[in-house]
Structures are given as structure tokens and as C-alpha cells.
Amino acid sequence: MIHHRMAEPARTAALAALADLWSQGCPVAGPNGRERLVDVGLRRWHSFHRRHSRVRPPTHEARIRDLVRGLVEAVEPEPRLVGPLVKDYECVAEAITAAVSLSDR
């Protein structure tokens, strides 16, 4: 779990966003793994710059791809076999990113 107090609004917003995705039919955002997805996602999002110390500022798309990769690796037993389900992970990554953006304001 993330221990930063400032991350709690982002975590709450991300959990709500994933609950919405679940109600819309996203199989990845189910209630059993939702908290883990959010915790892994927030940790991955906030560690991006430490893991990618390139000179150029990263694009939003690059950060989303990295977040999707981290979520898939953390949740799927065979990450290479995810296939079309990756679109659902992209929705989850976008929801987590939006929650972080909202809480940073």
C-alpha cells in the first residue's frame, strides 16, 4: 500500500473510477483485485521518473504504456499472453492517471 498521505485522494478516486469501469463491463477492474491494481498503478506511476531517467520529458502515451506494462506484469500469471485484454488494462491505466491528475490539482 502507498504510505503517502497525499496519495490517498488519488487512491480513493482511482478505486471509484475502477468501480465505474467494472460496472461498464471491464473484466480487469473487478472488486477482488481492484485495490491491488490501484496500489500497483499508483506506485508505478510515481516511480516512472526514477525508472526512466532520460533527458527528454516523457509523453503521456509513454507513461500510459509503462503503467499498462506494470499492471499486466503485476496481475497476469503469463503477461505475454494477455492479447486483446490489454485494452482493458489501458482503460484501467487511464482511470488511474486521471485520478492522479485530479488529486494533484
Side-chain angles (χ1 to χ4, degrees), residues 21-103:
L21 285 175
W22 174 251
S23 70
Q24 296 169 27
C26 176
V28 174
N32 293 339
R34 192 175 297 150
E35 289 196 23
R36 181 161 186 247
L37 271 178
V38 168
D39 291 342
V40 167
L42 290 174
R43 203 169 38 249
R44 180 89 177 194
W45 182 262
H46 291 296
S47 68
F48 181 87
H49 291 292
R50 189 186 76 237
R51 291 178 294 102
H52 299 276
S53 59
R54 296 188 182 120
V55 177
R56 281 187 303 161
T59 64
H60 178 75
E61 291 76 20
R63 291 196 72 180
I64 292 293
R65 276 193 311 272
D66 179 72
L67 183 52
V68 168
R69 188 177 317 117
L71 293 171
V72 168
E73 289 173 358
V75 175
E76 292 293 328
E78 293 289 336
R80 293 173 297 147
L81 303 179
V82 169
L85 193 62
V86 76
K87 291 292 182 198
D88 293 308
Y89 281 101
E90 289 169 0
C91 291
V92 167
E94 290 285 355
I96 291 171
T97 301
V100 170
S101 297
L102 285 174
S103 69

Side-chain angles (χ1 to χ4, degrees), residues 8-25:
E8 197 56 38
R11 187 174 190 277
T12 301
L15 285 169
L18 266 57
D20 287 345
L21 285 175
W22 174 251
S23 70
Q24 296 169 27

